[in-house]
Amino acid sequence: VNALLAGVFHCLLCDNVNVLLTSGSIVRKLCVCVPVRMLAISEDLLVHMLAGLERHLMSNESGVAENAAVAIGFLAETDGADIHLYKPESLHPHLKELVNGLVRLMQTSMKTVLQAAAGALVRVLRGPHGENLLQKMIVPYKPAETIFGLWTTKAAVAVPDEELPLETKSFIQNLIAGLLVALNCGNPAIGAEAAEVLCIWAGIPNPAWSRLLGQEESIVVRILSGTVKLLHVQDVAAARNAVILLHCFTLDERGQAFLSLMEPSDLKFFLKGLR
């Protein structure tokens, strides 16, 4: 079985679109039907599979990218993912690349692909391990300074905004862009998942939340506008996540300031939704 899986994972890295579609479809079905078995493979095989899925997320062929997103989502929510997927240090770089790939994929006009990507992203980031992963991607830290690795002379501190690496800035911009597409796509289920990701972001200690509120005024207002729309849908998860996210804005002075920038018509819509 492992030899067969190794062959399939090798095909994930092929250049032929038909082979990519076929191998990606096989991996998708395996992750949907037997996700526990897929997580139980050796760490080396798991690395090969994740590397292949990373590449599929970047494919111009929508079917290839959608297969990869669905597979990732099922793996992330499977029992044992905390041990087999999040715990091994060797998989952390791949998890970060998968998250990067998903947020880029969310910037699409194709609803099926957007739904797969948003669903996978919220499943990867849900829970303490996912929240920790998102925190590391939004708030990189300067390592602690020590003498001979024994005595700490300076504790680890978050990299300030003005010193953020380009990689972090790019990720935050792509994440917000993808979440805006999902929030305003007109599908309550997709909007609910985008709002949940924003709630996860809000739950991370500062400066994470400040990096969202530090975006351009028009961007934050668009996030608020998309969130308010979710208050008026029948989807319970969408309305719940929207209320939680709006509550997070009220707890912060900068968030309150953005709420005050809403147009009178939007504010009326907001209050009507709360009622």
Side-chain angles (χ1 to χ4, degrees):
V1 173
N2 284 341
L4 288 172
L5 288 175
V8 173
F9 298 160
H10 178 74
C11 291
L12 292 175
L13 301 173
C14 183
D15 292 324
N16 184 288
V17 174
N18 290 327
V19 176
L20 292 178
L21 278 169
T22 304
S23 58
S25 180
I26 291 171
V27 172
R28 171 178 176 165
K29 289 175 181 176
L30 288 171
C31 291
V32 170
C33 298
V34 286
V36 175
R37 175 66 180 85
M38 295 301 286
L39 284 178
I41 60 179
S42 69
E43 194 171 311
D44 286 342
L45 276 179
L46 200 53
V47 166
H48 287 307
M49 179 175 69
L50 296 183
L53 293 175
E54 289 169 29
R55 185 177 178 191
H56 280 221
L57 288 176
M58 297 186 291
S59 174
N60 293 324
E61 176 62 47
S62 61
V64 173
E66 182 183 340
N67 282 336
V70 171
I72 294 163
F74 273 88
L75 284 176
E77 68 176 358
T78 300
D79 290 340
D82 54 340
I83 297 173
H84 299 291
L85 192 61
Y86 291 97
K87 188 176 181 179
E89 293 284 342
S90 62
L91 300 184
H92 290 183
H94 294 284
L95 288 174
K96 288 182 178 180
E97 285 307 311
L98 290 175
V99 171
N100 272 312
L102 288 170
V103 299
R104 285 193 294 264
L105 188 60
M106 286 172 65
Q107 299 171 52
T108 177
S109 58
M110 299 185 65
K111 287 287 180 70
T112 55
V113 177
L114 175 59
Q115 188 165 21
L121 182 65
V122 75
R123 285 163 178 77
V124 170
L125 299 181
R126 188 181 284 156
H129 295 287
E131 184 176 313
N132 185 51
L133 174 64
L134 181 61
Q135 180 174 5
K136 288 179 179 178
M137 298 183 74
I138 294 176
V139 187
Y141 269 71
K142 292 181 178 179
E145 295 180 9
T146 63
I147 299 176
F148 304 119
L150 299 174
W151 299 281
T152 301
T153 58
K154 195 172 184 180
V157 293
V159 176
D161 290 349
E162 59 273 14
E163 295 179 22
L164 277 181
L166 182 60
E167 177 187 6
T168 303
K169 292 180 180 178
S170 178
F171 170 69
I172 292 174
Q173 291 171 355
N174 280 322
L175 177 58
I176 291 173
L179 292 173
L180 277 172
V181 172
L183 273 176
N184 295 287
C185 72
N187 184 313
I190 299 175
E193 289 169 334
E196 184 174 345
V197 171
L198 285 164
C199 289
I200 294 170
W201 189 341
I204 298 172
N206 271 328
W209 183 238
S210 295
R211 285 181 181 159
L212 175 64
L213 299 182
Q215 300 299 310
E216 292 180 12
E217 179 182 302
S218 60
I219 292 176
V220 182
V221 170
R222 282 176 62 199
I223 290 174
L224 281 172
S225 176
T227 305
V228 168
K229 290 176 185 175
L230 294 178
L231 294 175
H232 295 265
V233 302
Q234 296 299 315
D235 188 295
V236 176
R240 180 194 64 225
N241 293 343
V243 170
I244 294 171
L245 182 56
L246 290 167
H247 177 60
C248 292
F249 274 89
T250 68
L251 298 175
D252 185 284
E253 287 186 6
R254 293 168 72 185
Q256 294 169 15
F258 280 114
L259 287 170
S260 69
L261 294 174
M262 296 174 68
E263 296 291 335
S265 58
D266 289 336
L267 185 58
K268 185 177 179 180
F269 197 52
F270 176 26
L271 296 174
K272 185 178 179 181
L274 290 177
R275 186 184 68 187

